[in-house]
């Protein structure tokens, strides 16, 4: 087992640098915020407005805000556009395959005109603009870093926060990538990244994308090129158990795709349930996770 205490002590950041120092640390670089979103009309507008007010209007830290609309059936795109974001549509390399969050993040990176990107979740309630400064600060001030992952306290109204992390991600990390065991929340969707470090790397589809970026950063640049930032408290909706089951399969598939250089992982499972009359049912489900082409392809 590797000794992660030295890395944890030097690469875990609890607060951001003074705002003036952060702006000066840009040194001519552009910073872009990207929000992948599917059916997040209830929260996306407020997040975009707060980012733009804090970091575009009051402090010149962020140069662009991009929302990637991923097959939304509500007014996500309109709400984001009204709040001042540039809105693009998620582009699946294969139109017959829904690449989910991975395709949305890949599209966001492909459309960025910035040097440094910040991914934010689009379903956060009570969003704090300080999230952006805390994430991007270490990357702007330390040229050795290519990826800064978030961690945070998340209230769990249903007692289920972090289930996929503890039951799927951490066992895989312990067995296959123990260097990453110091990350408090390896599946966190919020991160800051140097675009040139990822633009030529393939992207894991679905919910495997977040740990996929972490695995790729470690594999190509080493653990010391990664860090984590404490965002404090954040709150968002939890997925139901069926969705969490699919997510867990995609997370585990990410390890196969990145560490074994595979291109497709297909999992098949039987999902028990009940119909409207209460009778027991059994449904076959296929979960396919792919390695998508690099954003710069």
């Amino acid at each position: 087992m590797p000794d992660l205490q030295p890395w944890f002590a030097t690469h875990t950041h609890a607060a951001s640098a003074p705002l003036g120092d952060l702006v000066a640390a840009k040194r001519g670089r552009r910073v872009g915020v990207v929000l992948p979103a599917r059916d997040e009309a209830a929260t996306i507008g407020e997040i975009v407005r707060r980012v733009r007010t804090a970091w575009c209007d009051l402090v010149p830290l962020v140069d662009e805000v991009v929302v990637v609309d991923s097959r939304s059936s509500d007014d996500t795109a309109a709400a984001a556009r009204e709040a001042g974001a540039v809105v693009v549509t998620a582009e699946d390399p294969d139109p017959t395959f829904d690449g989910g969050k991975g395709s949305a993040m890949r599209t966001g990176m492909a459309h960025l005109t910035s040097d440094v990107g910040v991914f934010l979740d689009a379903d956060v309630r009570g969003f704090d603009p300080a999230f952006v400064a805390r994430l991007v600060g270490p990357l702007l001030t330390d040229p050795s870093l290519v990826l800064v992952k978030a961690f945070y306290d998340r209230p769990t109204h249903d007692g289920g926060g972090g289930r996929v992390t503890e039951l799927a991600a951490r066992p895989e990390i312990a067995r296959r990538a123990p260097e990453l065991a110091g990350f408090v929340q390896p599946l966190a969707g919020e991160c800051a990244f140097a675009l040139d470090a990822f633009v030529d790397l393939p992207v894991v589809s679905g919910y495997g994308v977040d740990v996929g970026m972490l695995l790729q950063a470690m594999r190509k640049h080493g653990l010391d090129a990664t860090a984590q930032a404490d965002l404090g408290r954040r709150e968002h909706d939890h997925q139901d158990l069926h969705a969490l089951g699919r997510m867990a399969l995609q997370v585990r598939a990410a390890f196969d795709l990145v560490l074994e250089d595979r291109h497709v992982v297909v999992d098949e499972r039987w999902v028990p349930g009940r119909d409207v009359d209460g009778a027991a049912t059994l449904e076959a489900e296929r979960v396919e996770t792919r390695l998508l082409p690099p954003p710069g392809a």
Side-chain angles (χ1 to χ4, degrees):
M1 179 184 297
D3 181 8
L4 297 177
Q5 291 292 349
W7 175 87
F8 190 89
T10 57
H11 289 70
T12 300
H13 300 270
S16 62
L19 298 183
D21 292 349
L22 284 185
V23 174
K26 289 175 69 176
R27 296 190 297 275
R29 291 174 290 179
R30 286 172 55 83
V31 174
V33 168
V34 182
L35 294 108
R38 177 177 291 185
D39 295 332
E40 303 295 354
T43 52
I44 190 68
E46 184 65 16
I47 294 173
V48 169
R49 278 190 288 272
R50 289 188 178 187
V51 169
R52 288 190 54 80
T53 298
W55 305 123
C56 299
D57 300 337
L58 298 178
V59 177
L61 181 64
V62 172
D63 300 283
E64 60 180 334
V65 180
V66 178
V67 169
V68 184
D69 182 26
S70 179
R71 304 191 183 197
S72 294
S73 59
D74 65 4
D75 293 328
T76 292
R81 194 174 291 111
E82 182 179 351
V86 173
V87 178
V88 298
T89 301
E91 301 161 353
D92 288 311
D94 179 351
T96 67
F97 175 73
D98 181 1
K101 186 178 182 182
S103 279
M105 291 174 65
R106 176 182 180 274
T107 300
M109 287 190 278
H111 283 268
L112 271 182
T113 63
S114 295
D115 308 287
V116 174
V118 180
F119 279 121
L120 297 177
D121 284 350
D123 62 346
V124 177
R125 297 189 296 273
F127 173 79
D128 185 349
F131 291 174
V132 176
R134 291 179 185 176
L135 282 169
V136 80
L139 198 146
L140 289 177
T141 56
D142 185 347
S144 71
L145 295 178
V146 301
L147 180 68
V148 179
K149 292 278 284 185
F151 69 94
Y152 38 76
D153 296 324
R154 180 172 60 183
T156 56
H157 300 302
D158 60 358
R163 285 174 288 186
V164 176
T165 295
E166 295 303 324
L167 300 178
R170 289 206 184 281
E172 292 296 307
I173 286 173
R175 292 192 306 112
R176 305 175 70 179
E179 301 91 339
L180 300 180
F183 280 90
V184 178
Q185 286 170 329
L187 302 187
E190 296 91 343
C191 67
F193 59 96
L195 183 61
D196 62 1
F198 292 93
V199 71
D200 294 324
L201 294 178
V203 178
V204 178
S205 68
Y207 286 105
V209 61
D210 297 311
V211 75
M213 283 186 71
L214 188 55
L215 289 165
Q216 288 173 323
M218 182 196 69
R219 192 180 192 194
K220 183 173 182 180
H221 301 282
L223 180 64
D224 284 341
T226 66
Q228 58 188 342
D230 187 353
L231 301 192
R233 177 188 171 100
R234 67 188 287 281
E235 185 173 355
H236 67 148
D237 293 332
H238 300 301
Q239 303 267 9
D240 61 32
L241 280 175
H242 180 83
L244 290 177
R246 290 181 58 86
M247 187 185 302
L249 289 175
Q250 292 171 344
V251 166
R252 296 185 68 176
F255 287 82
D256 294 335
L257 293 169
V258 175
L259 299 182
E260 299 178 8
D261 296 316
R262 295 171 65 179
H263 296 285
V264 180
V265 173
V266 177
D267 291 292
E268 295 179 344
R269 63 175 185 163
W270 289 97
V271 183
R274 294 190 181 276
D275 64 19
V276 294
D277 297 320
T281 62
L282 193 62
E283 178 183 355
E285 183 177 33
R286 186 175 188 269
V287 180
E288 181 175 328
T289 311
R290 297 185 184 181
L291 209 55
L292 305 175

